[in-house]
C-alpha cells in the first residue's frame, strides 16, 4: 500500500484531510505527522517538525505523498520542499499565503532534476478558484473577476485558521486599500444576503490561467454580519500586533470561539462573479455547503493525492486543472451534497447577485 503522510494531522484541517483521504483514497495507507504525534490516535503517527530538517529523514522514508496541512503558512518551506523533491516524495500544501506559495514554486524551479512534484496552494484559495474561473474564459467582454468566500460561523476553528484569518486584517494591499476596513452586502442567487469585506487573494503566481490576468477582487465574510463588523474593528488593531503575539492571542481566543459559534450556522458559500468593464455581472458560479463546508478546502489535496498515486512519475509544479477537470469537480461537489449553480447572464434572465 502506498503511504500518504498528513503533516498537521493533530490540527483541525489536518484531521479533515485524514478523514477525507480514508473515505476517498481507500487504496492508500494514511499516516499522520506533527511535533506531538501522541495527540492523534485516529491514525498511525510519526514525528516531523517542519522547522527541524533532522526530523525529516526517518519520517519521509517510504512516503509517496506528503500533504502539508500544518498552517499557518508563515514559515520557510524550502527545507521540506527540497527534501521531498530530492527523495521522490510528492509535496502538496493548503497554503493561502502568496509569499509561501511563491517560495514553494521557486524552490521547485531551482531543483535541476526533481524526483517528484509540488502542488502549493491546493485548497479553496487559490487552486479551486483558479480552476472554476476557467469556466469564464470564453465570455465576451470579461474585464474583472470578483470572488466571495462566506464561512459558516458554527464550523470548528483551529488556532492555525484563526491566526491566518486575522493576520492580513488592516494591512495595505497593492491598491493601497487596507484589508477589512469596509464591508459590502451581497444578495446571492437564492436571495440570501451575506456580508463580506475585502481580503487579500494569493495571486502572486506565474501559473495562473488567463482569466486571472484580469483584476481580481477577493472578499471574505460570514453567515453572521456581526462577525464581519467585529473583524472590521479588529482591522484597526491587528496590524500593531507582532506575529508571535498574534499567535498567542489566537490561542487564547480559541475557547471564546465557542461563544461565536452560538447562533451560527454551518452554511458556507463560494461565489465567483465575472464582470464587464462597467462592473455588470456577466456570469456567476455559486457553491453552497449546508454542512461540512470545510471539507471543500481539504478536497483539492485529496484529489491530487489520488492523481499522484496513479501517476507516480509526475515531476515539477502541478496545477489543479491537470489533476481534475471542472466537470470532475462539479460531479464531486454534487455527489457530496454541495449545491452548485452556474448562471450566464448574457443568455439567462434569472435574478443576479446584487452587491451593495
Ligand atoms: N487555503 C484555504 O482555502 C484554507 C482553508 C482552510 C484552512 N486553511 C489553512 O489550513 C491551516 C491549518 O489550520 P488549522 O485550523 O488546522 O490549524 P491548527 O488546528 O492550529 O493545526 C495546526 C497543525 O500544525 C501542526 N504544527 C504546527 N507547527 C508545526 C511544526 N513546526 N511542525 C509540524 N507540525 C506543526 C500542529 O501540530 P503539533 O502542535 O502537534 O505539532 C497542528 O497539527 C491554516 O493555515 C489555514 O489557514 C487554508
Amino acid at each position: 500500500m502506498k503511504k500518504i503522510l498528513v503533516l498537521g494531522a493533530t490540527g483541525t484541517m489536518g484531521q479533515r484531510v485524514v478523514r477525507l483521504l480514508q473515505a476517498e483514497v481507500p487504496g492508500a495507507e494514511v499516516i499522520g505527522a506533527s511535533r506531538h504525534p501522541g495527540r492523534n490516535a485516529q491514525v498511525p503517527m510519526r514525528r516531523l517538525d517542519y522547522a527541524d530538517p533532522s526530523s525529516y529523514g526517518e519520517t519521509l522514508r517510504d512516503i509517496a505523498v506528503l500533504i502539508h496541512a500544518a498552517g499557518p503558512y508563515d514559515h520557510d518551506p524550502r527545507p521540506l520542499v527540497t527534501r521531498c523533491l530530492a527523495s521522490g516524495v510528492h509535496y502538496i500544501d493548503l497554503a493561502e499565503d502568496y509569499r509561501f506559495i511563491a517560495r514553494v514554486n521557486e524552490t521547485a524551479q531551482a531543483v535541476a532534476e526533481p524526483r517528484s512534484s509540488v502542488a502549493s496552494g491546493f485548497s479553496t484559495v487559490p487552486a479551486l478558484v483558479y480552476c472554476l474561473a476557467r469556466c469564464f474564459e470564453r465570455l465576451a467582454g470579461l474585464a474583472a473577476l470578483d470572488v466571495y468566500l462566506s464561512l459558516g460561523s458554527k464550523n470548528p476553528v483551529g488556532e492555525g485558521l484563526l491566526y491566518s484569518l486575522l493576520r492580513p486584517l488592516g494591512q495595505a494591499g497593492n491598491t493601497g486599500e487596507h484589508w477589512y476596513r469596509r464591508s459590502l452586502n451581497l444578495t446571492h442567487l437564492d436571495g440570501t444576503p451575506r456580508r463580506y469585506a475585502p481580503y487579500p487573494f494569493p495571486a502572486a503566481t506565474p501559473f495562473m490561467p488567463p482569466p486571472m490576468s484580469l483584476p481580481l477582487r477577493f472578499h471574505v465574510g460570514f453567515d453572521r454580519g456581526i462577525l464581519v463588523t467585529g473583524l472590521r474593528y479588529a482591522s484597526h488593531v491587528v496590524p500593531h500586533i507582532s506575529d508571535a503575539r498574534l499567535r498567542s492571542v489566537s490561542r487564547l481566543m480559541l475557547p471564546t470561539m465557542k461563544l461565536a459559534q452560538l447562533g451560527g450556522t454551518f452554511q458556507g458559500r463560494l461565489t465567483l462573479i465575472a464582470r464587464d468593464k462597467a462592473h455588470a455581472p456577466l456570469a456567476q458560479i455559486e457553491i453552497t455547503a449546508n454542512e461540512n463546508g470545510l471539507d471543500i478546502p481539504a478536497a483539492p489535496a485529496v484529489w491530487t493525492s489520488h492523481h499522484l498515486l496513479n501517476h507516480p512519475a509526475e515531476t515539477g509544479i502541478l496545477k489543479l486543472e491537470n489533476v481534475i477537470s471542472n466537470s470532475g469537480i462539479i460531479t464531486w461537489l454534487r455527489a457530496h451534497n454541495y449545491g452548485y449553480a452556474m448562471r450566464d447572464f448574457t443568455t439567462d434572465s434569472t435574478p443576479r447577485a446584487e452587491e451593495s
Side-chain angles (χ1 to χ4, degrees):
M1 257 191 178
K2 293 203 176 157
K3 295 188 174 73
I4 303 177
L5 186 77
V6 180
L7 181 59
T10 51
T12 313
M13 189 46 78
Q15 287 176 37
R16 275 183 188 267
V17 173
V18 164
R19 187 170 47 72
L20 261 190
L21 283 170
Q22 287 173 329
E24 312 257 325
V25 194
E29 182 182 349
V30 182
I31 299 172
S34 84
R35 293 165 304 178
H36 307 102
R39 286 186 185 161
N40 185 339
Q42 313 303 315
V43 279
M45 290 287 294
R46 297 180 182 181
R47 187 181 173 279
L48 193 152
D49 179 349
Y50 56 63
D52 174 14
S54 71
S55 69
Y56 299 173
E58 256 313 285
T59 299
L60 292 182
R61 193 184 50 80
D62 72 358
I63 296 297
V65 178
L66 169 104
I67 301 179
H68 178 357
Y73 297 93
D74 58 355
H75 51 274
D76 182 358
R78 287 173 292 192
L80 183 58
V81 173
T82 308
R83 180 68 66 91
C84 283
L85 288 168
S87 43
V89 176
H90 295 292
Y91 168 96
I92 304 170
D93 68 50
L94 282 70
E96 72 287 79
D97 185 310
Y98 73 89
R99 290 157 299 193
F100 187 94
I101 296 170
R103 273 177 153 188
V104 171
N105 289 333
E106 282 159 20
T107 307
Q109 278 170 322
V111 173
E113 288 181 15
R115 294 181 52 210
S116 55
S117 56
V118 303
S120 187
F122 270 40
S123 194
T124 307
V125 286
L128 186 61
V129 168
Y130 280 145
C131 245
L132 293 172
R134 299 183 76 225
C135 294
F136 298 144
E137 259 169 341
R138 295 207 183 100
L139 281 176
L142 176 65
L145 197 62
D146 279 345
V147 179
Y148 306 83
L149 179 66
S150 176
L151 306 167
S153 54
K154 207 163 186 172
N155 284 303
V157 180
E159 184 190 318
L161 180 57
L162 189 57
Y163 172 88
S164 304
L165 189 67
L166 294 175
R167 185 65 286 177
L169 299 184
Q171 289 180 16
N174 50 9
T175 58
E177 174 163 27
H178 291 259
W179 305 120
Y180 240 83
R181 290 271 165 90
R182 66 178 173 91
S183 63
L184 53 96
N185 294 314
L186 185 77
T187 307
H188 286 272
L189 293 172
D190 60 3
T192 306
R194 285 281 181 264
R195 192 177 298 172
Y196 294 90
Y199 202 77
F201 186 80
T205 157
F207 306 101
M208 351 180 196
M212 294 303 162
S213 46
L214 301 166
L216 182 147
R217 298 187 314 171
F218 184 47
H219 313 80
V220 169
F222 294 89
D223 53 344
R224 289 188 306 153
I226 191 166
L227 294 176
V228 177
T229 308
L231 291 180
R232 275 185 64 191
Y233 286 118
S235 75
H236 293 273
V237 180
V238 171
H240 305 292
I241 306 177
S242 69
D243 290 351
R245 180 66 56 88
L246 191 62
R247 274 194 183 231
S248 310
V249 170
S250 306
R251 195 170 312 128
L252 292 171
M253 276 175 72
L254 270 189
T256 62
M257 294 314 288
K258 298 238 166 12
L259 287 177
Q261 287 170 358
L262 289 176
T265 72
F266 287 107
Q267 198 184 74
R269 287 167 184 264
L270 174 67
T271 305
L272 281 73
I273 304 182
R275 296 189 185 273
D276 67 12
K277 254 198 245 165
H279 205 61
L282 295 169
Q284 177 162 345
I285 290 172
E286 274 197 23
I287 297 171
T288 41
N290 286 325
E291 54 185 4
N292 286 329
L294 284 177
D295 278 358
I296 296 181
V302 173
W303 302 331
T304 307
S305 305
H306 191 262
H307 170 86
L308 288 170
L309 293 188
N310 291 323
H311 302 85
E314 289 261 20
T315 54
I317 296 166
L318 273 186
K319 298 182 198 169
L320 187 58
E321 71 226 55
N322 303 135
V323 167
I324 186 166
S325 65
N326 272 5
S327 59
I329 293 173
I330 296 162
T331 304
W332 188 93
L333 290 168
R334 292 201 166 126
H336 290 74
N337 293 324
Y338 299 114
Y340 175 88
M342 162 115 183
R343 297 274 184 280
D344 180 347
F345 300 119
T346 58
T347 56
D348 187 335
S349 58
T350 51
R352 297 158 187 222
E354 296 288 348
E355 195 184 283
S356 58

